[in-house]
Amino acid sequence: MTNPNEILNSSKAPEPVGSYPHARKVGNLLFLSGVGPRERGTKKIPGVELDEAGNIVSYDIEAQCHSVFKNVRAILEDAGSGWDKLVDVTVFLTNMKADFATYNRIYAEYFKDNQPCRTTVEINSLPTPIAIELKCIATV
């Protein structure tokens, strides 16, 4: 019998930046912690150029979208779920006006077969110098 309240971490997704797991399984639901576009084993963020102080000089929202979707997929699959089992996605953008159209186009490509509920919110900043983060719920 599996643990009905299981903590799960992916060996492929970037390490969490705090004391939290990649995901937590409760019953047949899988709750993902916020997932960004960083690459595992490094602080590298695809498409982001930082100055010496760690401030964002420029970023490529398209590169970040592809990377964050790849990271979400890795966590889902390592937890025994899958992309097609996503039921709810909350997306945090740091610049809705500049980035929404690109993000929305790429999102539509990734979610053409499965369309989970979605909420997109603009926020001032995220814990690392990223422009997008996803919070997801899936079935297992």
Side-chain angles (χ1 to χ4, degrees), residues 46-64:
V48 174
E49 183 185 335
L50 302 174
D51 64 16
E52 303 80 32
N55 299 307
I56 299 171
V57 174
S58 67
Y59 68 93
D60 178 347
I61 190 63
E62 188 160 345
Q64 287 196 42

PDB file of all heavy atoms in Angstrom, residues 46-64:
ATOM      1  N   PRO A  46      17.349  29.445 -18.670  1.00  0.00           N
ATOM      2  CA  PRO A  46      17.349  29.626 -20.124  1.00  0.00           C
ATOM      3  C   PRO A  46      16.813  30.995 -20.539  1.00  0.00           C
ATOM      4  O   PRO A  46      15.768  31.438 -20.062  1.00  0.00           O
ATOM      5  CB  PRO A  46      16.433  28.504 -20.619  1.00  0.00           C
ATOM      6  CG  PRO A  46      16.540  27.455 -19.562  1.00  0.00           C
ATOM      7  CD  PRO A  46      16.666  28.212 -18.277  1.00  0.00           C
ATOM      8  N   GLY A  47      17.571  31.660 -21.400  1.00  0.00           N
ATOM      9  CA  GLY A  47      17.128  32.936 -21.951  1.00  0.00           C
ATOM     10  C   GLY A  47      17.300  34.141 -21.049  1.00  0.00           C
ATOM     11  O   GLY A  47      16.835  35.224 -21.382  1.00  0.00           O
ATOM     12  N   VAL A  48      17.971  33.997 -19.901  1.00  0.00           N
ATOM     13  CA  VAL A  48      18.104  35.124 -18.972  1.00  0.00           C
ATOM     14  C   VAL A  48      19.548  35.611 -18.936  1.00  0.00           C
ATOM     15  O   VAL A  48      20.481  34.839 -18.795  1.00  0.00           O
ATOM     16  CB  VAL A  48      17.666  34.735 -17.538  1.00  0.00           C
ATOM     17  CG1 VAL A  48      17.951  35.872 -16.555  1.00  0.00           C
ATOM     18  CG2 VAL A  48      16.195  34.389 -17.518  1.00  0.00           C
ATOM     19  N   GLU A  49      19.710  36.926 -19.069  1.00  0.00           N
ATOM     20  CA  GLU A  49      21.022  37.562 -18.933  1.00  0.00           C
ATOM     21  C   GLU A  49      20.985  38.442 -17.690  1.00  0.00           C
ATOM     22  O   GLU A  49      20.097  39.285 -17.549  1.00  0.00           O
ATOM     23  CB  GLU A  49      21.316  38.410 -20.174  1.00  0.00           C
ATOM     24  CG  GLU A  49      22.682  39.057 -20.148  1.00  0.00           C
ATOM     25  CD  GLU A  49      22.912  40.004 -21.328  1.00  0.00           C
ATOM     26  OE1 GLU A  49      22.261  39.826 -22.375  1.00  0.00           O
ATOM     27  OE2 GLU A  49      23.741  40.926 -21.170  1.00  0.00           O
ATOM     28  N   LEU A  50      21.923  38.202 -16.782  1.00  0.00           N
ATOM     29  CA  LEU A  50      21.984  38.950 -15.525  1.00  0.00           C
ATOM     30  C   LEU A  50      23.200  39.866 -15.494  1.00  0.00           C
ATOM     31  O   LEU A  50      24.219  39.561 -16.112  1.00  0.00           O
ATOM     32  CB  LEU A  50      22.072  37.985 -14.342  1.00  0.00           C
ATOM     33  CG  LEU A  50      20.941  36.972 -14.185  1.00  0.00           C
ATOM     34  CD1 LEU A  50      21.256  36.001 -13.054  1.00  0.00           C
ATOM     35  CD2 LEU A  50      19.620  37.670 -13.935  1.00  0.00           C
ATOM     36  N   ASP A  51      23.090  40.965 -14.733  1.00  0.00           N
ATOM     37  CA  ASP A  51      24.263  41.813 -14.528  1.00  0.00           C
ATOM     38  C   ASP A  51      25.067  41.270 -13.344  1.00  0.00           C
ATOM     39  O   ASP A  51      24.693  40.245 -12.753  1.00  0.00           O
ATOM     40  CB  ASP A  51      23.867  43.285 -14.340  1.00  0.00           C
ATOM     41  CG  ASP A  51      23.038  43.552 -13.094  1.00  0.00           C
ATOM     42  OD1 ASP A  51      22.995  42.676 -12.185  1.00  0.00           O
ATOM     43  OD2 ASP A  51      22.422  44.624 -13.006  1.00  0.00           O
ATOM     44  N   GLU A  52      26.142  41.947 -12.965  1.00  0.00           N
ATOM     45  CA  GLU A  52      27.019  41.478 -11.892  1.00  0.00           C
ATOM     46  C   GLU A  52      26.287  41.377 -10.555  1.00  0.00           C
ATOM     47  O   GLU A  52      26.640  40.569  -9.701  1.00  0.00           O
ATOM     48  CB  GLU A  52      28.230  42.411 -11.717  1.00  0.00           C
ATOM     49  CG  GLU A  52      29.084  42.602 -12.960  1.00  0.00           C
ATOM     50  CD  GLU A  52      28.479  43.609 -13.944  1.00  0.00           C
ATOM     51  OE1 GLU A  52      27.813  44.572 -13.528  1.00  0.00           O
ATOM     52  OE2 GLU A  52      28.667  43.400 -15.151  1.00  0.00           O
ATOM     53  N   ALA A  53      25.263  42.199 -10.359  1.00  0.00           N
ATOM     54  CA  ALA A  53      24.507  42.211  -9.104  1.00  0.00           C
ATOM     55  C   ALA A  53      23.374  41.179  -9.099  1.00  0.00           C
ATOM     56  O   ALA A  53      22.649  41.062  -8.114  1.00  0.00           O
ATOM     57  CB  ALA A  53      23.947  43.605  -8.856  1.00  0.00           C
ATOM     58  N   GLY A  54      23.214  40.451 -10.202  1.00  0.00           N
ATOM     59  CA  GLY A  54      22.158  39.439 -10.271  1.00  0.00           C
ATOM     60  C   GLY A  54      20.812  39.965 -10.732  1.00  0.00           C
ATOM     61  O   GLY A  54      19.799  39.282 -10.630  1.00  0.00           O
ATOM     62  N   ASN A  55      20.793  41.202 -11.247  1.00  0.00           N
ATOM     63  CA  ASN A  55      19.561  41.774 -11.768  1.00  0.00           C
ATOM     64  C   ASN A  55      19.365  41.371 -13.231  1.00  0.00           C
ATOM     65  O   ASN A  55      20.337  41.214 -13.972  1.00  0.00           O
ATOM     66  CB  ASN A  55      19.593  43.312 -11.664  1.00  0.00           C
ATOM     67  CG  ASN A  55      19.734  43.770 -10.229  1.00  0.00           C
ATOM     68  OD1 ASN A  55      18.956  43.367  -9.367  1.00  0.00           O
ATOM     69  ND2 ASN A  55      20.724  44.600  -9.967  1.00  0.00           N
ATOM     70  N   ILE A  56      18.120  41.230 -13.631  1.00  0.00           N
ATOM     71  CA  ILE A  56      17.816  40.838 -15.006  1.00  0.00           C
ATOM     72  C   ILE A  56      18.134  41.987 -15.962  1.00  0.00           C
ATOM     73  O   ILE A  56      17.625  43.099 -15.797  1.00  0.00           O
ATOM     74  CB  ILE A  56      16.333  40.434 -15.160  1.00  0.00           C
ATOM     75  CG1 ILE A  56      16.012  39.234 -14.259  1.00  0.00           C
ATOM     76  CG2 ILE A  56      16.003  40.122 -16.610  1.00  0.00           C
ATOM     77  CD1 ILE A  56      14.540  38.897 -14.175  1.00  0.00           C
ATOM     78  N   VAL A  57      18.981  41.725 -16.940  1.00  0.00           N
ATOM     79  CA  VAL A  57      19.303  42.693 -17.988  1.00  0.00           C
ATOM     80  C   VAL A  57      18.339  42.463 -19.157  1.00  0.00           C
ATOM     81  O   VAL A  57      17.765  43.385 -19.708  1.00  0.00           O
ATOM     82  CB  VAL A  57      20.773  42.547 -18.459  1.00  0.00           C
ATOM     83  CG1 VAL A  57      21.054  43.452 -19.643  1.00  0.00           C
ATOM     84  CG2 VAL A  57      21.732  42.826 -17.319  1.00  0.00           C
ATOM     85  N   SER A  58      18.167  41.186 -19.521  1.00  0.00           N
ATOM     86  CA  SER A  58      17.214  40.827 -20.572  1.00  0.00           C
ATOM     87  C   SER A  58      16.796  39.375 -20.367  1.00  0.00           C
ATOM     88  O   SER A  58      17.481  38.609 -19.689  1.00  0.00           O
ATOM     89  CB  SER A  58      17.831  41.003 -21.962  1.00  0.00           C
ATOM     90  OG  SER A  58      18.870  40.068 -22.149  1.00  0.00           O
ATOM     91  N   TYR A  59      15.645  39.024 -20.955  1.00  0.00           N
ATOM     92  CA  TYR A  59      15.184  37.641 -20.867  1.00  0.00           C
ATOM     93  C   TYR A  59      14.351  37.300 -22.086  1.00  0.00           C
ATOM     94  O   TYR A  59      13.785  38.165 -22.746  1.00  0.00           O
ATOM     95  CB  TYR A  59      14.409  37.384 -19.573  1.00  0.00           C
ATOM     96  CG  TYR A  59      13.073  38.083 -19.490  1.00  0.00           C
ATOM     97  CD1 TYR A  59      11.897  37.447 -19.902  1.00  0.00           C
ATOM     98  CD2 TYR A  59      12.971  39.378 -19.003  1.00  0.00           C
ATOM     99  CE1 TYR A  59      10.673  38.094 -19.823  1.00  0.00           C
ATOM    100  CE2 TYR A  59      11.754  40.024 -18.918  1.00  0.00           C
ATOM    101  CZ  TYR A  59      10.603  39.373 -19.326  1.00  0.00           C
ATOM    102  OH  TYR A  59       9.390  40.014 -19.260  1.00  0.00           O
ATOM    103  N   ASP A  60      14.276  36.017 -22.369  1.00  0.00           N
ATOM    104  CA  ASP A  60      13.530  35.486 -23.502  1.00  0.00           C
ATOM    105  C   ASP A  60      12.380  34.672 -22.936  1.00  0.00           C
ATOM    106  O   ASP A  60      12.585  33.558 -22.438  1.00  0.00           O
ATOM    107  CB  ASP A  60      14.473  34.618 -24.349  1.00  0.00           C
ATOM    108  CG  ASP A  60      13.790  33.957 -25.540  1.00  0.00           C
ATOM    109  OD1 ASP A  60      12.545  33.954 -25.614  1.00  0.00           O
ATOM    110  OD2 ASP A  60      14.526  33.432 -26.385  1.00  0.00           O
ATOM    111  N   ILE A  61      11.161  35.219 -22.968  1.00  0.00           N
ATOM    112  CA  ILE A  61      10.009  34.541 -22.373  1.00  0.00           C
ATOM    113  C   ILE A  61       9.726  33.225 -23.097  1.00  0.00           C
ATOM    114  O   ILE A  61       9.294  32.253 -22.476  1.00  0.00           O
ATOM    115  CB  ILE A  61       8.751  35.450 -22.331  1.00  0.00           C
ATOM    116  CG1 ILE A  61       7.640  34.805 -21.480  1.00  0.00           C
ATOM    117  CG2 ILE A  61       8.252  35.765 -23.722  1.00  0.00           C
ATOM    118  CD1 ILE A  61       7.972  34.609 -20.023  1.00  0.00           C
ATOM    119  N   GLU A  62       9.991  33.151 -24.391  1.00  0.00           N
ATOM    120  CA  GLU A  62       9.752  31.912 -25.132  1.00  0.00           C
ATOM    121  C   GLU A  62      10.643  30.787 -24.601  1.00  0.00           C
ATOM    122  O   GLU A  62      10.170  29.673 -24.342  1.00  0.00           O
ATOM    123  CB  GLU A  62       9.982  32.132 -26.625  1.00  0.00           C
ATOM    124  CG  GLU A  62       9.556  30.934 -27.444  1.00  0.00           C
ATOM    125  CD  GLU A  62       9.314  31.269 -28.910  1.00  0.00           C
ATOM    126  OE1 GLU A  62       9.189  32.466 -29.264  1.00  0.00           O
ATOM    127  OE2 GLU A  62       9.239  30.311 -29.697  1.00  0.00           O
ATOM    128  N   ALA A  63      11.920  31.056 -24.401  1.00  0.00           N
ATOM    129  CA  ALA A  63      12.845  30.053 -23.861  1.00  0.00           C
ATOM    130  C   ALA A  63      12.413  29.631 -22.462  1.00  0.00           C
ATOM    131  O   ALA A  63      12.464  28.445 -22.115  1.00  0.00           O
ATOM    132  CB  ALA A  63      14.269  30.603 -23.840  1.00  0.00           C
ATOM    133  N   GLN A  64      11.968  30.587 -21.652  1.00  0.00           N
ATOM    134  CA  GLN A  64      11.529  30.259 -20.299  1.00  0.00           C
ATOM    135  C   GLN A  64      10.259  29.409 -20.316  1.00  0.00           C
ATOM    136  O   GLN A  64      10.124  28.479 -19.519  1.00  0.00           O
ATOM    137  CB  GLN A  64      11.322  31.535 -19.483  1.00  0.00           C
ATOM    138  CG  GLN A  64      12.629  32.190 -19.093  1.00  0.00           C
ATOM    139  CD  GLN A  64      12.464  33.202 -17.985  1.00  0.00           C
ATOM    140  OE1 GLN A  64      11.751  32.981 -17.022  1.00  0.00           O
ATOM    141  NE2 GLN A  64      13.150  34.333 -18.127  1.00  0.00           N
TER     142      GLN A  64
END
